[in-house]
Amino acid sequence: FFRHKTMQLLFPEEDVNQYINDPPKESGENTVVNGGGLVECTESSTENPGETGKVNHAQETHYNDEEDNELRQVTPLFSLIPRCFRFDNAPSEATGISIDYYARGHVVMSSLFLGPALLDLAREAAELNCTEDEEHGLRNCKIHGFLPSSLLSNIAILSGILGALSMPIVGAVVDHTDKRLEVAAVSAIYLAIVKGLEVLVGQNTWFMIAVFQVISSILYNIHATATYAYTSELTNDPNQQSSFNAHYNVVLYISMLVFLILVLGLAWFFQTDDLETARISQALTFAVSLGCFSIAWRFFFNPRPKLSQLQPGANLWTVGFSKTFSTFQRIAKHYRALSWAIGSMMFAEAAMAALSSIAVTYMKEVLDMGGNDVGMIFLIVLCMGIPGSYLGSFLSIQLGDPVRSALVCDVGFIATTTAASFFLTGPQNRDMAFIFAALWGLFLGWLPPVDTTLFMNLMPSDSRAELMGIMMFA
């Protein structure tokens, strides 16, 4: 429904098209169309707040060619970067983002093997605190007030809430200061360090590691918000932006695939249990993420000037929340297509993001799969995600716009997940999980680059980091 409303606003009758391409101008604002998306240049986006109509140079051109060429010349690693990561005819940040995505792929997948180990450890701890319900003949086994099977869901919920609350603050720092590079680099290094600490997972440390999972999720969201601000500035061409996003999604999936193959191979070679496999996965994540993050953010990214000035009396702690509220109002008033696109992403992305954490618990508790079996399932998901990413980009072009491509993806994902709920009912159906894994992988690889392309080409450019935070929140 939300996708359909977005299409109606993007490709409707002539009068609605005129409204979208020429939204009402408020006092003191100059609205232009840029690269297929609506760009609103306000007084707050100028170098001098008193001079209306002067666009911040960082917003208009985004990159200083001389600075970028100089960065390439003083970066001896540039020619050594593998071709699958390197962009020779694009800003150096394009290459840096590829390397960053490879590190993030390992970070994302590290929880896949840590999850089953945490469930086992929480269950063992809960067994020591069981109480008998004589009236109903049941055993009540809880730890820290919750069932052990709820651990991963609780981690996901807490991570989502705290991550969403941190994004407006991070967006304000990136938009209103020149600290974008520092925010992205420091959050990346801290994220790698936390992953290294998770190697200590065990019977006496499992709850601390669960807390680290929440912290790493928050750091990941902070880092991604700052990085997306760079991604949105790579180009104003919608087709080229779609190609960038599809490429990065493929790099992400290749990273995940390599990670799974290495961890499963080491687990098979050493015949490890779920806990030992989890430690191997966290050690590998620490080594790869620390190396890739260090190379990317040390050598391939330029600092960025502030995109807008803080208004008198405002501060970085609250301006993000107030600006997010006013941005939602502005989107609803002037950018109706973008508001419906955000609504569609809220449902579609939430369902797909929740699938990974829920699926691990479901396969462990209902299908009685071990950590290595869960790893094989997600190996299939990732293998299918690579062609899914290219399929999404291909259909966006063939169908005329990314909205229609996303709509087809949503319908397919809904149908597949609904069917899985009827067929995957117990250990006797575990073989069918591999079939559904292939379909899920196709849709999980398909949707993210399509939605990112759609959002980037609809959003105003004067609050890129803030709006990318809204996209992640959605």
Side-chain angles (χ1 to χ4, degrees), residues 71-132:
L71 182 66
R72 289 171 183 269
Q73 293 172 4
V74 299
T75 303
L77 291 175
F78 192 86
S79 60
L80 302 178
I81 299 300
R83 286 294 309 157
C84 60
F85 297 132
R86 194 170 74 239
F87 289 89
D88 292 325
N89 298 314
S92 61
E93 281 82 354
T95 299
I97 293 171
S98 282
I99 301 172
D100 182 86
Y101 263 75
Y102 189 82
R104 284 158 61 181
H106 278 56
V107 171
V108 170
M109 294 308 294
S110 64
S111 299
L112 177 63
F113 294 98
L114 188 60
L118 288 176
L119 287 174
D120 286 338
L121 293 171
R123 187 184 299 109
E124 292 174 7
E127 289 288 339
L128 302 176
N129 298 282
C130 286
T131 58
E132 298 290 340

Short mmCIF file of all heavy atoms in Angstrom, two decimals, residues 71-132:
data_model
loop_
_atom_site.label_atom_id
_atom_site.label_comp_id
_atom_site.label_asym_id
_atom_site.label_seq_id
_atom_site.Cartn_x
_atom_site.Cartn_y
_atom_site.Cartn_z
N LEU A 71 44.93 13.34 -2.38
CA LEU A 71 44.78 12.21 -1.46
C LEU A 71 45.19 10.91 -2.15
O LEU A 71 45.84 10.06 -1.56
CB LEU A 71 43.32 12.12 -0.98
CG LEU A 71 43.02 11.01 0.02
CD1 LEU A 71 43.73 11.25 1.33
CD2 LEU A 71 41.52 10.89 0.25
N ARG A 72 44.82 10.75 -3.43
CA ARG A 72 45.20 9.54 -4.16
C ARG A 72 46.72 9.45 -4.28
O ARG A 72 47.30 8.37 -4.13
CB ARG A 72 44.59 9.56 -5.56
CG ARG A 72 43.07 9.36 -5.59
CD ARG A 72 42.57 9.60 -7.00
NE ARG A 72 41.13 9.49 -7.08
CZ ARG A 72 40.48 8.37 -7.36
NH1 ARG A 72 41.15 7.26 -7.57
NH2 ARG A 72 39.16 8.34 -7.43
N GLN A 73 47.38 10.58 -4.55
CA GLN A 73 48.82 10.57 -4.77
C GLN A 73 49.59 10.21 -3.51
O GLN A 73 50.64 9.58 -3.57
CB GLN A 73 49.27 11.93 -5.30
CG GLN A 73 48.73 12.24 -6.70
CD GLN A 73 49.02 13.66 -7.13
OE1 GLN A 73 49.68 14.40 -6.41
NE2 GLN A 73 48.52 14.05 -8.29
N VAL A 74 49.08 10.64 -2.34
CA VAL A 74 49.80 10.37 -1.10
C VAL A 74 49.34 9.07 -0.45
O VAL A 74 49.75 8.76 0.64
CB VAL A 74 49.61 11.54 -0.10
CG1 VAL A 74 50.14 12.82 -0.68
CG2 VAL A 74 48.15 11.68 0.32
N THR A 75 48.46 8.33 -1.12
CA THR A 75 47.97 7.07 -0.58
C THR A 75 48.60 5.92 -1.36
O THR A 75 48.10 5.53 -2.42
CB THR A 75 46.43 6.99 -0.67
OG1 THR A 75 45.88 8.10 0.01
CG2 THR A 75 45.93 5.71 -0.02
N PRO A 76 49.71 5.36 -0.87
CA PRO A 76 50.39 4.30 -1.62
C PRO A 76 49.56 3.04 -1.72
O PRO A 76 49.81 2.21 -2.60
CB PRO A 76 51.66 4.06 -0.79
CG PRO A 76 51.32 4.52 0.59
CD PRO A 76 50.38 5.67 0.41
N LEU A 77 48.56 2.88 -0.87
CA LEU A 77 47.76 1.67 -0.88
C LEU A 77 46.74 1.64 -2.01
O LEU A 77 46.19 0.58 -2.31
CB LEU A 77 47.01 1.52 0.46
CG LEU A 77 47.86 1.23 1.70
CD1 LEU A 77 46.98 1.24 2.94
CD2 LEU A 77 48.56 -0.11 1.56
N PHE A 78 46.48 2.81 -2.64
CA PHE A 78 45.37 2.86 -3.58
C PHE A 78 45.54 1.86 -4.71
O PHE A 78 44.60 1.15 -5.07
CB PHE A 78 45.24 4.28 -4.15
CG PHE A 78 43.96 4.49 -4.91
CD1 PHE A 78 42.80 4.86 -4.25
CD2 PHE A 78 43.90 4.29 -6.29
CE1 PHE A 78 41.61 5.03 -4.93
CE2 PHE A 78 42.72 4.46 -6.98
CZ PHE A 78 41.57 4.85 -6.30
N SER A 79 46.72 1.77 -5.28
CA SER A 79 46.94 0.86 -6.41
C SER A 79 46.97 -0.59 -5.97
O SER A 79 46.88 -1.49 -6.81
CB SER A 79 48.25 1.22 -7.12
OG SER A 79 49.34 1.10 -6.23
N LEU A 80 47.10 -0.83 -4.66
CA LEU A 80 47.16 -2.20 -4.15
C LEU A 80 45.79 -2.74 -3.77
O LEU A 80 45.66 -3.93 -3.48
CB LEU A 80 48.09 -2.27 -2.94
CG LEU A 80 49.53 -1.81 -3.16
CD1 LEU A 80 50.32 -1.89 -1.86
CD2 LEU A 80 50.21 -2.64 -4.25
N ILE A 81 44.79 -1.88 -3.76
CA ILE A 81 43.44 -2.31 -3.39
C ILE A 81 42.87 -3.21 -4.49
O ILE A 81 42.98 -2.87 -5.68
CB ILE A 81 42.52 -1.10 -3.18
CG1 ILE A 81 43.06 -0.23 -2.04
CG2 ILE A 81 41.10 -1.54 -2.86
CD1 ILE A 81 43.17 -0.91 -0.72
N PRO A 82 42.31 -4.36 -4.17
CA PRO A 82 41.74 -5.24 -5.20
C PRO A 82 40.70 -4.53 -6.05
O PRO A 82 40.01 -3.62 -5.58
CB PRO A 82 41.11 -6.37 -4.37
CG PRO A 82 41.87 -6.38 -3.09
CD PRO A 82 42.22 -4.95 -2.82
N ARG A 83 40.59 -4.96 -7.28
CA ARG A 83 39.68 -4.31 -8.23
C ARG A 83 38.24 -4.36 -7.76
O ARG A 83 37.45 -3.46 -8.08
CB ARG A 83 39.79 -5.00 -9.60
CG ARG A 83 41.06 -4.69 -10.36
CD ARG A 83 41.13 -3.23 -10.77
NE ARG A 83 39.93 -2.79 -11.45
CZ ARG A 83 39.52 -1.53 -11.52
NH1 ARG A 83 40.20 -0.58 -10.92
NH2 ARG A 83 38.42 -1.22 -12.19
N CYS A 84 37.86 -5.37 -7.02
CA CYS A 84 36.46 -5.47 -6.59
C CYS A 84 36.11 -4.38 -5.58
O CYS A 84 34.93 -4.12 -5.33
CB CYS A 84 36.17 -6.84 -5.99
SG CYS A 84 37.19 -7.26 -4.55
N PHE A 85 37.12 -3.72 -5.00
CA PHE A 85 36.87 -2.63 -4.06
C PHE A 85 37.16 -1.26 -4.66
O PHE A 85 36.60 -0.27 -4.22
CB PHE A 85 37.76 -2.78 -2.80
CG PHE A 85 37.49 -4.02 -2.02
CD1 PHE A 85 38.54 -4.83 -1.61
CD2 PHE A 85 36.21 -4.39 -1.68
CE1 PHE A 85 38.31 -5.97 -0.86
CE2 PHE A 85 35.96 -5.53 -0.93
CZ PHE A 85 37.02 -6.33 -0.53
N ARG A 86 38.03 -1.19 -5.66
CA ARG A 86 38.58 0.08 -6.10
C ARG A 86 37.73 0.73 -7.20
O ARG A 86 37.25 0.07 -8.11
CB ARG A 86 40.00 -0.13 -6.62
CG ARG A 86 40.78 1.14 -6.79
CD ARG A 86 42.25 0.86 -7.08
NE ARG A 86 42.49 0.39 -8.43
CZ ARG A 86 43.04 -0.77 -8.74
NH1 ARG A 86 43.42 -1.59 -7.78
NH2 ARG A 86 43.24 -1.11 -10.00
N PHE A 87 37.57 2.06 -7.08
CA PHE A 87 36.93 2.88 -8.11
C PHE A 87 37.97 3.87 -8.62
O PHE A 87 38.33 4.81 -7.91
CB PHE A 87 35.72 3.64 -7.55
CG PHE A 87 34.54 2.78 -7.22
CD1 PHE A 87 34.41 2.20 -5.98
CD2 PHE A 87 33.56 2.54 -8.17
CE1 PHE A 87 33.32 1.40 -5.67
CE2 PHE A 87 32.46 1.74 -7.88
CZ PHE A 87 32.34 1.18 -6.63
N ASP A 88 38.45 3.66 -9.84
CA ASP A 88 39.50 4.52 -10.38
C ASP A 88 38.97 5.86 -10.85
O ASP A 88 39.71 6.86 -10.85
CB ASP A 88 40.22 3.82 -11.54
CG ASP A 88 41.03 2.62 -11.06
OD1 ASP A 88 41.58 2.69 -9.95
OD2 ASP A 88 41.09 1.61 -11.79
N ASN A 89 37.72 5.92 -11.29
CA ASN A 89 37.16 7.14 -11.86
C ASN A 89 36.05 7.71 -10.99
O ASN A 89 35.06 8.24 -11.48
CB ASN A 89 36.62 6.86 -13.27
CG ASN A 89 37.71 6.41 -14.22
OD1 ASN A 89 38.79 7.00 -14.26
ND2 ASN A 89 37.44 5.36 -14.98
N ALA A 90 36.22 7.59 -9.70
CA ALA A 90 35.25 8.13 -8.75
C ALA A 90 36.03 8.71 -7.58
O ALA A 90 37.24 8.48 -7.45
CB ALA A 90 34.30 7.02 -8.28
N PRO A 91 35.39 9.49 -6.72
CA PRO A 91 36.08 10.02 -5.55
C PRO A 91 36.71 8.91 -4.72
O PRO A 91 36.23 7.77 -4.71
CB PRO A 91 34.96 10.73 -4.77
CG PRO A 91 33.94 11.06 -5.80
CD PRO A 91 33.99 9.96 -6.80
N SER A 92 37.79 9.21 -4.04
CA SER A 92 38.49 8.19 -3.25
C SER A 92 37.58 7.60 -2.18
O SER A 92 37.75 6.44 -1.78
CB SER A 92 39.73 8.80 -2.60
OG SER A 92 39.37 9.86 -1.72
N GLU A 93 36.58 8.37 -1.73
CA GLU A 93 35.64 7.85 -0.74
C GLU A 93 34.88 6.65 -1.26
O GLU A 93 34.46 5.79 -0.47
CB GLU A 93 34.65 8.94 -0.32
CG GLU A 93 35.18 9.94 0.69
CD GLU A 93 36.00 11.04 0.08
OE1 GLU A 93 36.26 10.99 -1.14
OE2 GLU A 93 36.39 11.97 0.80
N ALA A 94 34.67 6.57 -2.57
CA ALA A 94 33.96 5.42 -3.13
C ALA A 94 34.72 4.13 -2.85
O ALA A 94 34.12 3.09 -2.52
CB ALA A 94 33.76 5.61 -4.63
N THR A 95 36.04 4.18 -2.97
CA THR A 95 36.87 3.01 -2.63
C THR A 95 36.87 2.75 -1.14
O THR A 95 36.76 1.60 -0.69
CB THR A 95 38.31 3.22 -3.13
OG1 THR A 95 38.31 3.38 -4.55
CG2 THR A 95 39.20 2.05 -2.75
N GLY A 96 36.97 3.81 -0.35
CA GLY A 96 36.95 3.66 1.09
C GLY A 96 35.68 3.03 1.60
O GLY A 96 35.69 2.20 2.52
N ILE A 97 34.56 3.41 1.01
CA ILE A 97 33.27 2.85 1.42
C ILE A 97 33.21 1.36 1.10
O ILE A 97 32.65 0.57 1.86
CB ILE A 97 32.11 3.61 0.74
CG1 ILE A 97 32.05 5.05 1.28
CG2 ILE A 97 30.77 2.91 0.98
CD1 ILE A 97 31.09 5.94 0.52
N SER A 98 33.79 0.94 -0.03
CA SER A 98 33.84 -0.49 -0.36
C SER A 98 34.59 -1.27 0.71
O SER A 98 34.12 -2.33 1.16
CB SER A 98 34.52 -0.70 -1.72
OG SER A 98 33.67 -0.41 -2.79
N ILE A 99 35.74 -0.75 1.12
CA ILE A 99 36.53 -1.43 2.16
C ILE A 99 35.75 -1.44 3.48
O ILE A 99 35.74 -2.44 4.20
CB ILE A 99 37.88 -0.73 2.34
CG1 ILE A 99 38.67 -0.73 1.03
CG2 ILE A 99 38.70 -1.39 3.44
CD1 ILE A 99 39.93 0.10 1.05
N ASP A 100 35.08 -0.33 3.77
CA ASP A 100 34.28 -0.24 4.99
C ASP A 100 33.15 -1.27 4.98
O ASP A 100 32.88 -1.92 6.00
CB ASP A 100 33.71 1.17 5.11
CG ASP A 100 32.90 1.37 6.37
OD1 ASP A 100 33.50 1.70 7.42
OD2 ASP A 100 31.67 1.19 6.33
N TYR A 101 32.50 -1.43 3.84
CA TYR A 101 31.41 -2.40 3.73
C TYR A 101 31.92 -3.82 3.95
O TYR A 101 31.21 -4.67 4.52
CB TYR A 101 30.73 -2.29 2.37
CG TYR A 101 29.48 -1.44 2.38
CD1 TYR A 101 29.56 -0.06 2.44
CD2 TYR A 101 28.22 -2.02 2.33
CE1 TYR A 101 28.43 0.74 2.45
CE2 TYR A 101 27.08 -1.24 2.34
CZ TYR A 101 27.19 0.14 2.40
OH TYR A 101 26.06 0.92 2.43
N TYR A 102 33.14 -4.11 3.50
CA TYR A 102 33.67 -5.45 3.70
C TYR A 102 33.85 -5.73 5.19
O TYR A 102 33.53 -6.83 5.67
CB TYR A 102 35.02 -5.60 2.98
CG TYR A 102 35.52 -7.03 2.98
CD1 TYR A 102 35.05 -7.93 2.03
CD2 TYR A 102 36.44 -7.47 3.93
CE1 TYR A 102 35.49 -9.25 2.03
CE2 TYR A 102 36.88 -8.78 3.93
CZ TYR A 102 36.40 -9.67 2.98
OH TYR A 102 36.83 -10.98 2.99
N ALA A 103 34.34 -4.75 5.93
CA ALA A 103 34.48 -4.92 7.38
C ALA A 103 33.12 -5.06 8.03
O ALA A 103 32.92 -5.91 8.92
CB ALA A 103 35.23 -3.73 7.96
N ARG A 104 32.16 -4.27 7.60
CA ARG A 104 30.83 -4.32 8.20
C ARG A 104 30.14 -5.65 7.92
O ARG A 104 29.31 -6.11 8.73
CB ARG A 104 29.98 -3.15 7.69
CG ARG A 104 30.37 -1.83 8.34
CD ARG A 104 29.97 -0.63 7.52
NE ARG A 104 28.54 -0.53 7.31
CZ ARG A 104 27.96 0.43 6.61
NH1 ARG A 104 28.70 1.37 6.05
NH2 ARG A 104 26.66 0.47 6.47
N GLY A 105 30.45 -6.28 6.81
CA GLY A 105 29.88 -7.59 6.52
C GLY A 105 30.26 -8.62 7.57
O GLY A 105 29.44 -9.43 8.02
N HIS A 106 31.53 -8.60 8.01
CA HIS A 106 31.98 -9.50 9.06
C HIS A 106 31.31 -9.17 10.39
O HIS A 106 30.93 -10.07 11.15
CB HIS A 106 33.50 -9.41 9.22
CG HIS A 106 34.26 -10.24 8.22
ND1 HIS A 106 34.09 -10.11 6.86
CD2 HIS A 106 35.19 -11.22 8.39
CE1 HIS A 106 34.89 -10.97 6.24
NE2 HIS A 106 35.56 -11.66 7.14
N VAL A 107 31.16 -7.87 10.67
CA VAL A 107 30.53 -7.45 11.92
C VAL A 107 29.08 -7.93 11.98
O VAL A 107 28.63 -8.45 13.01
CB VAL A 107 30.59 -5.91 12.07
CG1 VAL A 107 29.74 -5.45 13.25
CG2 VAL A 107 32.03 -5.45 12.24
N VAL A 108 28.35 -7.76 10.88
CA VAL A 108 26.94 -8.17 10.85
C VAL A 108 26.81 -9.67 11.08
O VAL A 108 25.95 -10.13 11.85
CB VAL A 108 26.31 -7.77 9.50
CG1 VAL A 108 24.92 -8.41 9.35
CG2 VAL A 108 26.19 -6.25 9.40
N MET A 109 27.65 -10.46 10.44
CA MET A 109 27.51 -11.91 10.51
C MET A 109 28.08 -12.50 11.80
O MET A 109 27.78 -13.65 12.13
CB MET A 109 28.20 -12.56 9.32
CG MET A 109 27.54 -12.25 7.99
SD MET A 109 25.77 -12.59 8.00
CE MET A 109 25.76 -14.36 8.19
N SER A 110 28.87 -11.75 12.54
CA SER A 110 29.47 -12.30 13.76
C SER A 110 28.41 -12.71 14.77
O SER A 110 28.61 -13.66 15.54
CB SER A 110 30.42 -11.28 14.38
OG SER A 110 29.72 -10.11 14.80
N SER A 111 27.29 -12.01 14.78
CA SER A 111 26.22 -12.34 15.73
C SER A 111 25.53 -13.65 15.38
O SER A 111 24.86 -14.24 16.23
CB SER A 111 25.18 -11.21 15.76
OG SER A 111 25.77 -10.00 16.18
N LEU A 112 25.69 -14.10 14.15
CA LEU A 112 25.03 -15.33 13.72
C LEU A 112 25.53 -16.53 14.52
O LEU A 112 24.73 -17.39 14.92
CB LEU A 112 25.29 -15.55 12.22
CG LEU A 112 24.74 -16.82 11.61
CD1 LEU A 112 23.23 -16.84 11.69
CD2 LEU A 112 25.18 -16.96 10.16
N PHE A 113 26.82 -16.61 14.78
CA PHE A 113 27.37 -17.72 15.54
C PHE A 113 27.37 -17.44 17.04
O PHE A 113 27.34 -18.37 17.85
CB PHE A 113 28.79 -18.03 15.08
CG PHE A 113 28.86 -18.55 13.67
CD1 PHE A 113 29.15 -17.71 12.61
CD2 PHE A 113 28.60 -19.89 13.40
CE1 PHE A 113 29.20 -18.19 11.31
CE2 PHE A 113 28.65 -20.38 12.11
CZ PHE A 113 28.94 -19.53 11.05
N LEU A 114 27.40 -16.17 17.40
CA LEU A 114 27.36 -15.82 18.82
C LEU A 114 25.97 -16.06 19.39
O LEU A 114 25.83 -16.44 20.57
CB LEU A 114 27.76 -14.35 19.00
CG LEU A 114 27.96 -13.86 20.42
CD1 LEU A 114 29.04 -14.65 21.12
CD2 LEU A 114 28.29 -12.37 20.41
N GLY A 115 24.92 -15.87 18.58
CA GLY A 115 23.55 -16.04 19.06
C GLY A 115 23.25 -17.42 19.63
O GLY A 115 22.77 -17.54 20.77
N PRO A 116 23.50 -18.51 18.86
CA PRO A 116 23.24 -19.86 19.42
C PRO A 116 24.03 -20.13 20.69
O PRO A 116 23.51 -20.78 21.61
CB PRO A 116 23.67 -20.78 18.27
CG PRO A 116 23.50 -19.97 17.04
CD PRO A 116 23.86 -18.57 17.44
N ALA A 117 25.27 -19.65 20.76
CA ALA A 117 26.07 -19.87 21.98
C ALA A 117 25.46 -19.14 23.17
O ALA A 117 25.38 -19.69 24.28
CB ALA A 117 27.51 -19.39 21.74
N LEU A 118 25.00 -17.90 22.95
CA LEU A 118 24.36 -17.15 24.03
C LEU A 118 23.07 -17.82 24.49
O LEU A 118 22.76 -17.85 25.69
CB LEU A 118 24.08 -15.71 23.58
CG LEU A 118 25.29 -14.79 23.43
CD1 LEU A 118 24.87 -13.43 22.89
CD2 LEU A 118 26.02 -14.62 24.77
N LEU A 119 22.30 -18.38 23.54
CA LEU A 119 21.07 -19.08 23.91
C LEU A 119 21.37 -20.29 24.78
O LEU A 119 20.68 -20.54 25.79
CB LEU A 119 20.30 -19.49 22.65
CG LEU A 119 19.60 -18.39 21.86
CD1 LEU A 119 19.01 -18.95 20.57
CD2 LEU A 119 18.50 -17.74 22.69
N ASP A 120 22.39 -21.06 24.41
CA ASP A 120 22.76 -22.23 25.22
C ASP A 120 23.24 -21.82 26.61
O ASP A 120 22.85 -22.44 27.62
CB ASP A 120 23.87 -23.02 24.51
CG ASP A 120 23.34 -23.81 23.31
OD1 ASP A 120 22.12 -24.09 23.29
OD2 ASP A 120 24.14 -24.14 22.42
N LEU A 121 24.06 -20.79 26.68
CA LEU A 121 24.59 -20.35 27.97
C LEU A 121 23.49 -19.78 28.85
O LEU A 121 23.47 -20.01 30.07
CB LEU A 121 25.69 -19.31 27.75
CG LEU A 121 26.97 -19.82 27.08
CD1 LEU A 121 27.89 -18.66 26.73
CD2 LEU A 121 27.70 -20.81 27.99
N ALA A 122 22.57 -19.03 28.24
CA ALA A 122 21.45 -18.48 29.02
C ALA A 122 20.54 -19.60 29.52
O ALA A 122 20.03 -19.55 30.65
CB ALA A 122 20.65 -17.49 28.16
N ARG A 123 20.33 -20.62 28.69
CA ARG A 123 19.50 -21.75 29.10
C ARG A 123 20.15 -22.51 30.26
O ARG A 123 19.46 -22.91 31.22
CB ARG A 123 19.25 -22.69 27.92
CG ARG A 123 18.25 -23.79 28.23
CD ARG A 123 18.08 -24.75 27.07
NE ARG A 123 17.60 -24.10 25.89
CZ ARG A 123 18.32 -23.88 24.80
NH1 ARG A 123 19.59 -24.26 24.77
NH2 ARG A 123 17.80 -23.29 23.75
N GLU A 124 21.45 -22.71 30.19
CA GLU A 124 22.15 -23.40 31.28
C GLU A 124 22.07 -22.60 32.58
O GLU A 124 21.88 -23.17 33.66
CB GLU A 124 23.61 -23.62 30.89
CG GLU A 124 23.81 -24.61 29.76
CD GLU A 124 25.25 -24.70 29.30
OE1 GLU A 124 26.12 -24.08 29.97
OE2 GLU A 124 25.52 -25.37 28.28
N ALA A 125 22.20 -21.27 32.46
CA ALA A 125 22.09 -20.44 33.66
C ALA A 125 20.68 -20.45 34.22
O ALA A 125 20.48 -20.45 35.44
CB ALA A 125 22.53 -19.01 33.33
N ALA A 126 19.68 -20.46 33.33
CA ALA A 126 18.29 -20.48 33.78
C ALA A 126 17.93 -21.79 34.46
O ALA A 126 17.10 -21.81 35.39
CB ALA A 126 17.36 -20.22 32.59
N GLU A 127 18.54 -22.89 34.02
CA GLU A 127 18.26 -24.19 34.63
C GLU A 127 18.64 -24.21 36.11
O GLU A 127 18.07 -24.99 36.89
CB GLU A 127 19.04 -25.29 33.89
CG GLU A 127 18.52 -25.60 32.50
CD GLU A 127 17.19 -26.33 32.52
OE1 GLU A 127 16.87 -26.94 33.57
OE2 GLU A 127 16.46 -26.29 31.52
N LEU A 128 19.56 -23.39 36.50
CA LEU A 128 19.98 -23.33 37.89
C LEU A 128 19.03 -22.51 38.75
O LEU A 128 19.17 -22.49 39.98
CB LEU A 128 21.39 -22.73 37.99
CG LEU A 128 22.49 -23.47 37.21
CD1 LEU A 128 23.81 -22.71 37.32
CD2 LEU A 128 22.65 -24.90 37.71
N ASN A 129 18.10 -21.83 38.11
CA ASN A 129 17.16 -20.96 38.83
C ASN A 129 15.71 -21.33 38.56
O ASN A 129 14.82 -20.48 38.64
CB ASN A 129 17.38 -19.49 38.44
CG ASN A 129 18.76 -18.97 38.80
OD1 ASN A 129 19.04 -18.65 39.94
ND2 ASN A 129 19.64 -18.92 37.81
N CYS A 130 15.46 -22.58 38.21
CA CYS A 130 14.10 -23.02 37.89
C CYS A 130 13.25 -23.11 39.16
O CYS A 130 13.73 -23.48 40.23
CB CYS A 130 14.12 -24.38 37.20
SG CYS A 130 14.69 -24.31 35.49
N THR A 131 11.99 -22.76 39.01
CA THR A 131 11.01 -22.94 40.08
C THR A 131 9.89 -23.83 39.57
O THR A 131 9.56 -23.81 38.37
CB THR A 131 10.43 -21.59 40.53
OG1 THR A 131 9.82 -20.93 39.41
CG2 THR A 131 11.52 -20.70 41.10
N GLU A 132 9.28 -24.60 40.44
CA GLU A 132 8.22 -25.54 40.08
C GLU A 132 6.85 -24.90 40.28
O GLU A 132 6.57 -24.32 41.32
CB GLU A 132 8.32 -26.80 40.93
CG GLU A 132 9.62 -27.58 40.75
CD GLU A 132 9.71 -28.24 39.39
OE1 GLU A 132 8.65 -28.42 38.74
OE2 GLU A 132 10.83 -28.58 38.96
#
